[in-house]
Amino acid sequence: MQERLLKIDEIAEIMGTSKTRAKAALSKYGLCAIDFGRGRGGGERWLQSAVLSMLQAMAVAAQKKSEKKPKQARISIFNMSIDDVYNLTQSKNVQ
């Protein structure tokens, strides 16, 4: 099976963004282009498998960002005894 080479317009279409944003994402993830030079049929191309693995890495990074830490239970001073409030305010950790 032969590896397919993608132009920047095709990559931008896959990503659903502009050419400049697609090129910025490619450089951010360190994907270097294969340059066929100037002229008809020339230009920069990227390996399809490398682009797809970059998109997979971007998706994994986005999932990690969206995971939220569970909130800690709030402790109300009104539910504490006087001794608990005193110990809480007199400890060395209070600033």
Side-chain angles (χ1 to χ4, degrees), residues 6-13 15-35 42-46 51 54-55 58:
L6 301 175
K7 296 179 187 177
I8 193 66
D9 339 354
E10 297 169 328
I11 296 170
E13 186 179 329
M15 292 176 70
T17 186
S18 67
K19 293 178 187 179
T20 55
R21 287 218 184 241
K23 205 161 196 175
L26 291 168
S27 65
K28 179 182 175 185
Y29 280 86
L31 274 104
C32 296
I34 300 168
D35 193 2
E44 296 178 327
R45 305 288 191 324
W46 287 264
V51 171
M54 178 206 66
L55 291 173
M58 288 174 74

Side-chain angles (χ1 to χ4, degrees), residues 1-7 10 14 46-49:
M1 184 174 147
Q2 187 177 5
E3 184 71 36
R4 184 160 180 248
L5 296 172
L6 301 175
K7 296 179 187 177
E10 297 169 328
I14 290 171
W46 287 264
L47 288 172
Q48 183 179 14
S49 60

Side-chain angles (χ1 to χ4, degrees), residues 47-85:
L47 288 172
Q48 183 179 14
S49 60
V51 171
L52 294 177
S53 65
M54 178 206 66
L55 291 173
Q56 184 70 27
M58 288 174 74
V60 168
Q63 292 299 319
K64 288 181 181 177
K65 280 185 180 178
S66 67
E67 291 176 358
K68 295 183 179 179
K69 296 178 183 174
K71 292 184 178 181
Q72 293 181 347
R74 296 185 74 168
I75 301 171
S76 174
I77 197 167
F78 299 112
N79 297 337
M80 299 174 119
S81 68
I82 295 174
D83 293 331
D84 291 336
V85 173

